[in-house]
Amino acid sequence: MTPPRIRPPGVADERTQLLGWLDLQRAIVPYKCEGLSEQDAHRALLPTSPAMTVAGLVSHLRWVEHCWFEVLFLDRPADGNPQFGEVEAADFEVGDTPLEQLLDEYARQCAVSDEIVAAADLDDRGRNAEYGATELTLRWMLLHVLEEVARHVGHLDVLREQLDGARGYW
């Protein structure tokens, strides 16, 4: 089931608005994937960016959440996160992993991120010194992840329209 796509209240505290906009962008990801065939989900449409598929974008967004909130904010090990490997854009490479599985992994990772964020103050700083996160607040990280998700939702908009003509934000 696709999460509801709801804008945050126009008058609310900073945390409510920030997390509300992030939740909206996250909810658009599975919406853009609804009814898409496996073949289309894994189809590369950009000759210069063959890893940028719908499935690849969902995988990338999962690893973005892991990177920023688990690795950089909490300083947990980066084990398994392809963003910390030697191969550029490895987090976009999904082989024939089903889109449904990728969406489930993304949803689970977002839930982990939400737990981490709920337990922290927006002014708390990241704990990972190796990648400079000690100079970044949780607020900054949330804004960056919001920017990252929204940017890739735009990519999903274009890919989906090219694949089957489906359009729409809501």
Side-chain angles (χ1 to χ4, degrees):
M1 183 175 143
T2 302
R5 296 174 305 281
I6 302 168
R7 287 187 173 124
V11 177
D13 62 274
E14 177 186 20
R15 180 181 281 267
T16 300
Q17 290 189 8
L18 181 56
L19 296 177
W21 283 110
L22 179 56
D23 285 344
L24 171 61
Q25 294 303 309
R26 286 172 171 168
I28 294 171
V29 174
Y31 170 68
K32 287 296 173 179
C33 298
E34 283 181 355
L36 198 59
S37 72
E38 285 300 322
Q39 182 179 1
D40 282 346
H42 291 82
R43 182 176 297 158
L45 299 173
L46 303 172
T48 57
S49 299
M52 188 178 288
T53 64
V54 170
L57 283 166
V58 173
S59 174
H60 170 70
L61 289 171
R62 177 261 182 112
W63 291 114
V64 164
E65 296 269 347
H66 179 265
C67 169
W68 283 100
F69 299 120
E70 289 197 60
V71 178
L72 299 178
F73 186 68
L74 290 184
D75 199 26
R76 290 180 180 166
D79 299 342
N81 188 324
Q83 293 178 321
F84 294 93
E86 299 298 316
V87 178
E88 185 178 347
D91 55 324
F92 283 84
E93 298 295 335
V94 297
D96 60 356
T97 305
L99 181 59
E100 186 74 24
Q101 178 181 333
L102 296 168
L103 287 166
D104 288 345
E105 291 170 357
Y106 177 54
R108 283 195 304 274
Q109 190 63 57
C110 289
V112 170
S113 297
D114 288 346
E115 289 177 15
I116 292 166
V117 170
D121 187 85
L122 294 177
D123 291 321
D124 289 349
R125 290 186 182 209
R127 297 178 189 160
N128 185 296
E130 181 181 359
Y131 293 100
T134 57
E135 298 303 313
L136 304 173
T137 63
L138 177 59
R139 174 184 291 103
W140 190 97
M141 290 182 189
L142 282 165
L143 285 165
H144 174 70
V145 171
L146 171 58
E147 174 269 331
E148 180 92 5
V149 176
R151 175 175 176 251
H152 291 308
V153 162
H155 293 133
L156 288 170
D157 283 336
V158 172
L159 290 176
R160 186 62 193 258
E161 187 171 349
Q162 287 182 331
L163 287 166
D164 65 5
R167 298 184 305 163
Y169 189 73
W170 299 104

